[in-house]
Amino acid sequence: MNIILLGPPGAGKGTQAKRLETGRGMIQLSTGDMLRAAVAAGTELGKQAKEVMDSGNLVSDDLMIGLISERLDQDDTKGGFILDGFPRTTAQAEALDVMLEQKGLELDYVIELRVDDAALVRRVVGRYTCAKCGQGYHDEFQKPKVEGVCDVCGSTEFKRRADDNAETVTSRLEAYHRQTAPIIPYYENDGKLKTVDGMAEIDEVTREIEAILG
Ligand code: AP5
Ligand code: MG
């Protein structure tokens, strides 16, 4: 099964993708994570992307399309993939269709996580992850069972994203409404779009997604 998780910053794309990885053996392809890895490694892509990401704007379509096309050629995507954060523009959605056809791949569902804008800033600003294994947490909504200790790997080090501040989130939200939301009708027209209430609790959102995937 190959799917897209679509939604604004803080909608829960990463949270739900990680759960599908664990539960179904699918692989999460997060363009945001790929870019952050490139920034951390100081590669040419990372140098080009850093400033754009910190301002809350979108990295160029050409770079992103090339990145995903290469990633889809790797063997670990064969058991099913979850696109998280791609496509984000009409040009990316059209390029994805072309590359899937060329690679002989099918998209099963596009799952839109719908969340009120007002809830998103609070979600994003409170988010942090384990510095060792990447498990996601939230100051209010998803605390570790033992304070300061990762549930998954026991690490006591955590980190926050450079773009997770109220100001950048506002720009990211604007970019979502201006450039990404217009691709929703594109997937509605081909019958692949399913909309889930992303305002529900994390477990409930997972149940709704599982019900769609069957
Ligand atoms: P990216 O990393 O994709 O960020 P984003 O789209 O802004 O989304 P987030 O990762 O912030 O949110 P999420 O939906 O994953 O939420 P999460 O599950 O963590 O992109 C970053 C940047 O890279 C972009 O701004 C752009 O510059 C660039 N970029 C990336 N892809 C690109 C592309 N294709 N083209 C061009 N540029 C690109 O949840 C958030 C928090 O809320 C967590 O703490 C979680 O615990 C909590 N939470 C989740 N679900 C719930 C719930 N149901 N109830 C309560 N809390 C919840
Ligand atoms: Mg994410």
Side-chain angles (χ1 to χ4, degrees):
M1 183 115 47
N2 300 320
I3 67 168
I4 295 174
L5 286 182
L6 192 68
K13 304 182 294 293
T15 303
Q16 298 300 331
K18 285 269 179 303
R19 288 176 165 216
L20 292 173
E21 276 198 325
T22 314
R24 291 183 170 251
M26 297 165 80
I27 189 137
Q28 174 193 18
L29 304 181
S30 159
T31 42
D33 287 350
M34 292 175 205
L35 290 171
R36 281 183 288 280
V39 171
T43 65
E44 198 43 52
L45 170 67
K47 284 179 196 148
Q48 288 183 48
K50 173 139 185 35
E51 219 173 292
V52 181
M53 293 170 80
D54 285 348
S55 69
N57 290 311
L58 297 186
V59 175
S60 82
D61 285 335
D62 286 352
L63 281 178
M64 300 316 301
I65 291 163
L67 193 66
I68 278 293
S69 179
E70 272 179 30
R71 190 64 188 83
L72 286 174
D73 289 336
Q74 292 172 20
D75 277 347
D76 60 354
T77 62
K78 301 289 179 271
F81 56 79
I82 307 147
L83 286 171
D84 161 4
F86 184 97
R88 244 180 162 95
T89 61
T90 308
Q92 290 181 19
E94 287 169 356
L96 178 66
D97 275 352
V98 174
M99 75 175 90
L100 289 177
E101 174 143 21
Q102 282 169 351
K103 295 176 197 295
L105 295 168
E106 278 269 353
L107 201 57
D108 296 283
Y109 296 107
V110 178
I111 299 178
E112 180 205 357
L113 299 174
R114 196 172 285 174
V115 183
D116 299 342
D117 280 6
L120 295 171
V121 176
R122 194 164 160 209
R123 278 197 193 178
V124 170
V125 172
R127 167 173 56 191
Y128 61 97
T129 54
C130 171
K132 199 172 163 207
C133 74
Q135 172 65 29
Y137 295 101
H138 191 279
D139 291 329
E140 294 170 75
F141 309 128
Q142 202 187 354
K143 296 181 185 174
K145 290 189 187 85
V146 178
E147 200 187 324
V149 183
C150 176
D151 295 346
V152 177
C153 74
S155 167
T156 52
E157 278 180 47
F158 297 88
K159 60 180 182 183
R160 290 180 191 259
R161 274 168 49 177
D163 60 347
D164 278 353
N165 53 74
E167 195 186 324
T168 308
V169 175
T170 307
S171 314
R172 283 158 58 198
L173 256 178
E174 274 170 26
Y176 178 79
H177 288 299
R178 195 175 63 247
Q179 291 165 282
T180 308
I183 69 178
I184 293 172
Y186 182 87
Y187 290 114
E188 213 163 17
N189 286 340
D190 69 11
K192 297 220 160 98
L193 186 79
K194 303 279 174 192
T195 300
V196 164
D197 176 16
M199 294 294 288
E201 284 188 8
I202 296 175
D203 286 346
E204 178 54 28
V205 177
T206 306
R207 274 193 290 276
E208 281 193 42
I209 295 174
E210 289 290 354
I212 292 167
L213 303 186

